[in-house]
Amino acid sequence: MVRIGWRSVAAACALALSPAAAGSADEDGSPLFGVRIPAGYRDWPVISVAHEAGNANDIRAILGNAIALKAFREGTRPFPDGAIIARLAWHYVSSPENDAVFGRPQSFVAGAPTNVQFSVKDAKRYAETGGWGYGQFENGKPDRSATLMQTCAPCHAGAPKGNDLVFTHYAP
Amino acid sequence: MVRIGWRSVAAACALALSPAAAGSADEDGSPLFGVRIPAGYRDWPVISVAHEAGNANDIRAILGNAIALKAFREGTRPFPDGAIIARLAWHYVSSPENDAVFGRPQSFVAGAPTNVQFSVKDAKRYAETGGWGYGQFENGKPDRSATLMQTCAPCHAGAPKGNDLVFTHYAP
């Protein structure tokens, strides 16, 4: 017989906890998924750009690490483990200084940043959410709302079929 | 007395020709400026993003090489020689597939590419145009219109004061 103390049982339980609880213990990681800000992401290449009107009313750049870019360019789906997609967003604002040059109101640019979201592919770790883990960061800190994080996977389930739960298409 | 044949005179004149004529002799370079597509520009980091309505009706990403990015981030003006800014633009199109997920028409994305423009800083070579040379490329080939190229510098002269003839501000 092997004696197991409460301390060991507690440790074993901690290991068996859902990603939700594990993530929430990580101050730098997102709730549920434990996604952290990847080093150097601001220098990653552009996958595409977009403007979301409506409540978001932002203009955004979707960047990717080398694994993600390769998959986008070669059409590899599902994305391989290690692929990370970064969605940077800024307030969508008009540019009076540009408009003055063009002679009419036509120029809309990036204002202050809103938030940055990351989608991290790890088929095993994030098996319950289609192989993707998510995180949203404001001012370099993870949004602590588990409720927000619970909306990621269901929304991405609506992404175009065959695009592995990803909305963005590569812009050549 | 030194004898100079017509051939030598013609060669000397060619060297003394304006950048316009020099550029037009380069099939891969832009008229007037001789700007070529810089290797690897599609992987450069994002300076900012924008939407131009009006005649352009595009959505765009402004990228920069390492020299340009450093200057943007550190606020160095004028930009040092070797700085290159790339403006990629795509048709501004709505995304019915995204709109279906959001439940309303709000999503605008990058359609087919329109053209790519480069601004190359070389204070000496491009002294007549404020130190910047320009080029526009469609399908990887330079637009051959010298008339178009003649509009670059006058338009950039309207850029915000203190930004060295550059419209774009860095989006953090």
Side-chain angles (χ1 to χ4, degrees), chain A residues 40-128:
Chain A
Y41 78 92
R42 186 60 184 76
D43 286 341
W44 288 352
V46 175
I47 300 163
S48 192
V49 291
H51 163 48
E52 289 298 332
N55 291 339
N57 200 32
D58 66 41
I59 189 162
R60 41 182 65 193
I62 297 90
L63 315 181
N65 68 356
I67 297 172
L69 258 291
K70 188 168 188 287
F72 269 109
R73 288 170 175 166
E74 297 177 358
T76 305
R77 303 289 187 280
F79 287 87
D81 280 3
I84 308 180
I85 300 167
R87 193 280 282 137
L88 290 68
W90 300 271
H91 289 288
Y92 181 73
V93 299
S94 68
S95 170
E97 63 187 17
N98 288 359
D99 290 345
V101 175
F102 290 115
R104 59 181 171 184
Q106 71 161 60
S107 189
F108 300 89
V109 299
T114 60
N115 60 62
V116 180
Q117 295 178 339
F118 297 99
S119 302
V120 176
K121 189 67 189 269
D122 186 328
K124 192 171 173 183
R125 180 176 181 187
Y126 301 122
E128 287 181 26

Side-chain angles (χ1 to χ4, degrees), chain A residues 42-43 46 48 50-53 55 73 90 92 97-98 101-102 104 106-108 110 158 160 167 169-172, chain B residues 42-43 46 48 50-53 55 73 90 92 97-98 101-102 104 106-108 110 158 160 167 169-172:
Chain A
R42 186 60 184 76
D43 286 341
V46 175
S48 192
H51 163 48
E52 289 298 332
N55 291 339
R73 288 170 175 166
W90 300 271
Y92 181 73
E97 63 187 17
N98 288 359
V101 175
F102 290 115
R104 59 181 171 184
Q106 71 161 60
S107 189
F108 300 89
F167 286 104
H169 303 282
Y170 183 75
Chain B
R42 187 58 184 78
D43 287 342
V46 175
S48 192
H51 163 47
E52 289 298 331
N55 290 341
R73 288 170 176 165
W90 301 269
Y92 181 73
E97 63 187 19
N98 288 0
V101 174
F102 289 116
R104 58 181 171 185
Q106 71 160 61
S107 190
F108 301 88
F167 286 103
H169 303 283
Y170 183 74

Side-chain angles (χ1 to χ4, degrees), chain A residues 129-152:
Chain A
T129 48
W132 289 100
Y134 300 96
Q136 176 171 308
F137 297 80
E138 292 118 19
N139 296 314
K141 299 288 177 191
D143 190 299
R144 306 301 310 158
S145 168
T147 305
L148 173 68
M149 286 298 99
Q150 282 164 347
T151 66
C152 299

Side-chain angles (χ1 to χ4, degrees), chain B:
Chain B
M1 180 183 157
V2 178
R3 287 190 58 192
I4 301 177
W6 279 110
R7 213 174 277 270
S8 302
V9 171
C13 287
L15 285 171
L17 277 174
S18 71
S24 62
D26 177 4
E27 283 192 4
D28 296 327
S30 62
L32 308 194
F33 301 104
V35 165
R36 293 174 168 217
I37 295 178
Y41 78 91
R42 187 58 184 78
D43 287 342
W44 289 352
V46 175
I47 299 163
S48 192
V49 291
H51 163 47
E52 289 298 331
N55 290 341
N57 200 33
D58 65 41
I59 189 162
R60 41 182 64 193
I62 298 91
L63 314 182
N65 69 356
I67 297 172
L69 259 291
K70 188 168 188 287
F72 269 109
R73 288 170 176 165
E74 296 178 359
T76 307
R77 302 291 186 279
F79 287 87
D81 280 2
I84 308 180
I85 299 168
R87 193 280 282 135
L88 290 69
W90 301 269
H91 290 289
Y92 181 73
V93 299
S94 67
S95 170
E97 63 187 19
N98 288 0
D99 290 344
V101 174
F102 289 116
R104 58 181 171 185
Q106 71 160 61
S107 190
F108 301 88
V109 299
T114 60
N115 60 62
V116 180
Q117 295 179 339
F118 298 99
S119 301
V120 176
K121 188 66 189 269
D122 186 327
K124 192 172 174 184
R125 180 175 181 187
Y126 302 121
E128 287 180 27
T129 47
W132 290 100
Y134 300 96
Q136 175 171 310
F137 298 81
E138 292 118 18
N139 297 313
K141 298 288 177 191
D143 190 298
R144 307 300 311 159
S145 168
T147 306
L148 173 69
M149 287 298 98
Q150 282 164 348
T151 67
C152 299
C155 182
H156 278 263
K161 279 186 193 301
N163 209 32
D164 190 22
L165 305 173
V166 170
F167 286 103
T168 303
H169 303 283
Y170 183 74

